[in-house]
Amino acid sequence: MYRYDTIDRTLVNERVAQYRDQLARHLAGDLSEDEFRPLRLQNGLYIQKHAPMLRVAIPYGMLSSVQLRRLADIARRYDRGYGHFTTRQNIQYNWPRLEDSAHMLAELAEVEMHAIQTSGNCVRNISSDEYAGIAPDEIVDPRPLCEILRQWSTFHPEFAYLPRKFKIAVNGAHEDRAATAFHDIGLTLRRDDSGALVVDVLVGGGMGRTPMIGTVIRHGLPWAHTLAYVEAILRVYNRHGRRDNIYKARIKILLKALGAQEFTRQVEAEFAHLENGPGTLTAEEYRRVAAFFSAPAYESLADHDAAHERELARSQPFARWVGRSVRPHRVPGYRAVVISLKKTGVPPGDATAEQMERVAQWAEHFGFGEIRVSHEQNLILSDVRVRDLHTLWSEARAAGLATANHGLLTDIIACPGGDFCSLANAKSIPIAEAIQRRFDDLDYLHDIGELNINISGCMNSCGHHHVGHIGILGVDKDGEEWYQVSLGGADGSSLSAGRAALGKVIGPSFRAGHMPEVVARLIETYLQARLAEEPFIETVHRLGIAPFKARVYGAPLGEDGHAEETLAHG
């Protein structure tokens, strides 16, 4: 993984010192809250409902064991003993004291981490495929380009005050595990017919109040022009994006207002001034950065191990865990392992300090000290030998980290919601837990098969409810928390049938207490209507939402209300 050089260390340490001084002046009363707000936001510090929240960047989702141990230590000493991994491959601390925030940033800097540009109207953390560099279906490793984009965008003076926050995702595999269609810019790396590295550029994807799927505005861009083309897009957005209305400030609104053809024309005109200029990448620079992502010292192993096969045959729990949590690897004899952070009763994405330390230990003992953070809010050990899988499973089970639900209904993606966020209309965590408890039966879950549930506490869609096979959105009705349900969303990965789609709202919203029963009725409809081996998302796309809607609203819901009453309040 990338290592800081002298310039990186100097920049990050200077920013920590600068923020420490700003914080001291604020605490002394020399900087008002209004004056301090933009300064803290530039360093990833929000003020939430109950306490500050610090969001730490994990570039393209990669962590070393040393870094994960430091995150655990910070959670233990400055928070309440845990951290929350997000859908943007970051980690958030929900309970730090404002007075401690500069100390936290200084300790992050010691292990080459920071919170710069995790907030504000700037280019945010570059996200990517959590299996980059190890996926069998990978065409090009996206990490070198991710790192180049990260270095280019950090502290970029021209793009430090954009109309709104800006998110970039990069994918280099046949399967789009980076959800590029739902980012302000999505970059897909591939080889053209001659074998040259090129980039397909999507613009204007996003969720939130106005969800949209990105539009491809350039096919086959030579890789060397990536920075210049992204700069051209940002310049057009910076010039025309709205700053008078926060709800209409994202690039997706500008693309829709101008039309894709006119937007593309303006980008191409801007690019004409930048093409072959100083922003053009050189092969030498690409090789320099790519060297940080060279393969570790893999052993030469057979892809099958006899002892592993015996354990699979002997232990159904182990076999079930392997079936759900173990992913293929491009190197024979190795696998990637998903460490689920979705155990029933635990907020999705939360990990205690002790659990982070255990994962760091496993990364060193069973691999090469590397951990990935996924968009599904789980952790991944990237290089585990097949022969070590049973030992890892035994240790993970003892630590409460062997939940075999990856890709299943209880592998719920959820934002912190109203329990923490001052923007939320409703809670997300209790809804996720109630659904998990209703379906806390692995046999039934495996019969249902692959199914995504995404929950957001407000229209900002931090839980990505728009792309959930079942999406749940918290809404406020006269001071009460209600929940709107959508069906058929897909992020573009193979789990979502390999295509991007926005979910469709099935009807009026529901009370919190009804949500487990609503999900149960959706599942029952699917089980009765599915064809052989047909996943939930395919059944929804084949039938549409009508039969699901009829089942949900066709009979009373539970003891604390009826479908008719829900309709009346809708």
Side-chain angles (χ1 to χ4, degrees):
M1 60 186 296
Y2 180 76
R3 298 301 307 274
Y4 280 13
D5 60 17
T6 302
I7 295 174
D8 294 309
R9 281 189 289 273
T10 300
L11 284 172
V12 173
N13 288 333
E14 286 180 349
R15 172 55 77 91
V16 171
Q18 180 190 60
Y19 175 73
R20 192 185 295 279
D21 176 67
Q22 293 164 344
L23 175 63
R25 286 190 287 147
H26 172 63
L27 295 174
D30 296 330
L31 285 178
S32 69
E33 176 54 37
D34 287 342
E35 292 170 323
F36 183 60
R37 183 182 300 109
L39 305 177
R40 63 171 169 76
L41 289 174
Q42 290 171 13
N43 292 282
L45 193 74
Y46 293 74
I47 301 298
Q48 300 242 84
K49 182 176 288 186
H50 307 296
M53 181 272 280
L54 180 67
R55 179 182 295 143
V56 179
I58 303 176
Y60 35 91
M62 283 193 69
L63 280 169
S64 71
S65 57
V66 172
Q67 290 173 329
L68 187 56
R69 280 197 178 89
R70 180 56 56 89
L71 294 178
D73 186 55
I74 287 173
R76 181 180 289 112
R77 293 192 294 115
Y78 295 113
D79 204 279
R80 294 188 175 180
Y82 71 94
H84 174 74
F85 290 96
T86 77
T87 54
R88 288 284 301 158
Q89 299 179 295
N90 295 314
I91 187 172
Q92 294 179 177
Y93 294 103
N94 290 317
W95 296 99
R97 297 192 318 144
L98 181 61
E99 293 84 348
D100 291 331
S101 56
H103 300 312
M104 297 171 74
L105 294 176
E107 294 186 22
L108 288 166
E110 292 174 354
V111 294
E112 303 183 357
M113 299 188 76
H114 61 72
I116 298 165
Q117 293 182 200
T118 60
S119 177
N121 297 334
C122 57
V123 178
R124 299 287 187 87
N125 186 40
I126 309 295
S127 61
S128 189
D129 178 5
E130 55 265 30
Y131 300 101
I134 61 173
D137 71 328
E138 186 169 85
I139 303 166
V140 180
D141 188 342
R143 295 173 299 174
L145 195 57
C146 286
E147 178 57 30
I148 290 169
L149 283 162
R150 184 196 69 81
Q151 293 186 27
W152 170 81
S153 62
T154 302
F155 296 131
H156 197 303
E158 188 176 348
F159 308 128
Y161 181 58
L162 294 167
R164 198 72 173 88
K165 58 186 176 182
F166 203 90
K167 300 176 181 179
I168 300 175
V170 187
N171 179 52
H174 287 287
E175 180 182 346
D176 185 3
R177 289 175 290 266
T180 56
F182 295 100
H183 284 74
D184 297 292
I185 294 178
L187 303 175
T188 300
L189 312 184
R190 59 179 177 86
R191 300 282 179 183
D192 66 11
D193 293 341
S194 68
L197 174 58
V198 296
V199 185
D200 293 335
V201 183
L202 292 87
V203 175
M207 299 185 217
R209 190 173 297 272
T210 310
M212 295 185 188
I213 296 173
T215 299
V216 178
I217 68 167
R218 182 69 181 258
H219 284 280
L221 176 76
W223 70 271
H225 298 309
T226 303
L227 291 188
Y229 205 81
V230 169
E231 184 170 347
I233 295 169
L234 282 165
R235 282 188 172 179
V236 172
Y237 173 51
N238 214 11
R239 184 181 305 133
H240 298 300
R242 295 185 61 170
R243 288 182 165 87
D244 62 332
N245 188 328
I246 192 173
Y247 303 114
K248 297 182 179 181
R250 297 296 290 268
I251 195 172
K252 61 188 177 183
I253 304 300
L254 176 63
L255 181 74
K256 185 176 181 180
L258 292 176
Q261 184 174 357
E262 173 60 18
F263 180 88
T264 304
R265 186 195 68 78
Q266 293 197 29
V267 170
E268 291 289 338
E270 188 66 42
F271 176 61
H273 297 293
L274 301 170
E275 188 175 7
N276 297 319
T280 305
L281 292 170
T282 65
E284 180 184 8
E285 175 63 7
Y286 185 89
R287 286 194 296 268
R288 183 190 73 83
V289 176
F292 289 101
F293 304 99
S294 58
Y298 291 116
E299 299 177 38
S300 295
L301 301 171
D303 201 43
H304 296 279
D305 180 82
H308 171 70
E309 298 297 332
R310 286 194 297 271
E311 292 294 348
L312 284 176
R314 185 184 66 84
S315 171
Q316 183 183 24
F318 174 59
R320 177 175 284 163
W321 178 80
V322 169
R324 296 312 317 176
S325 300
V326 176
R327 296 290 299 261
H329 198 289
R330 65 178 179 83
V331 177
Y334 287 84
R335 300 290 187 269
V337 176
V338 178
I339 304 297
S340 174
L341 300 181
K342 309 295 179 59
K343 185 178 181 179
T344 298
V346 177
D350 279 10
T352 67
E354 291 74 18
Q355 289 173 330
M356 286 188 257
E357 288 168 341
R358 292 302 300 273
V359 174
Q361 176 188 348
W362 296 331
E364 293 169 345
H365 184 70
F366 297 110
F368 301 95
E370 183 178 287
I371 304 98
R372 313 290 183 90
V373 181
S374 76
H375 303 88
E376 293 90 2
Q377 300 173 285
N378 294 314
L379 299 179
I380 295 162
L381 300 175
S382 55
D383 305 292
V384 179
R385 291 177 291 266
V386 172
R387 67 171 183 254
D388 291 332
L389 287 172
H390 187 267
T391 304
L392 171 59
W393 169 73
S394 299
E395 294 188 18
R397 185 172 59 166
L401 287 171
T403 304
N405 66 345
H406 177 55
L408 300 180
L409 186 154
T410 58
D411 187 15
I412 295 173
I413 294 172
C415 68
D419 285 305
F420 298 99
C421 183
S422 56
L423 299 177
N425 295 315
K427 295 180 175 65
S428 301
I429 295 171
I431 302 302
E433 182 176 353
I435 294 170
Q436 286 175 325
R437 291 194 184 282
R438 176 67 178 262
F439 293 94
D440 195 17
D441 181 330
L442 279 176
D443 289 328
Y444 188 45
L445 288 177
H446 282 263
D447 183 52
I448 295 168
E450 295 188 335
L451 195 161
N452 289 341
I453 293 183
N454 295 46
I455 307 175
S456 298
C458 76
M459 283 300 297
N460 284 324
S461 193
C462 293
H464 296 180
H465 66 277
H466 293 295
V467 298
H469 299 168
I470 299 175
I472 299 172
L473 168 65
V475 296
D476 179 284
K477 288 192 176 183
D478 300 322
E480 294 185 10
E481 297 181 1
W482 289 63
Y483 295 87
Q484 185 184 81
V485 175
S486 58
L487 286 181
D491 62 9
S493 67
S494 61
L495 180 58
S496 299
R499 57 189 173 189
L502 295 166
K504 297 180 180 179
V505 177
I506 66 170
S509 53
F510 305 92
R511 295 184 185 276
H514 289 154
M515 288 311 302
E517 178 63 21
V518 169
V519 173
R521 292 187 184 189
L522 295 173
I523 299 304
E524 290 163 4
T525 306
Y526 158 64
L527 293 176
Q528 292 174 6
R530 68 180 175 182
L531 303 178
E533 305 299 321
E534 185 178 45
F536 179 89
I537 186 65
E538 291 289 353
T539 302
V540 173
H541 287 170
R542 176 171 59 86
L543 297 178
I545 66 172
F548 296 90
K549 179 177 181 178
R551 181 68 166 267
V552 169
Y553 293 105
L557 281 164
E559 298 178 355
D560 58 347
H562 299 275
E564 291 81 1
E565 295 175 6
T566 303
L567 286 165
H569 284 83

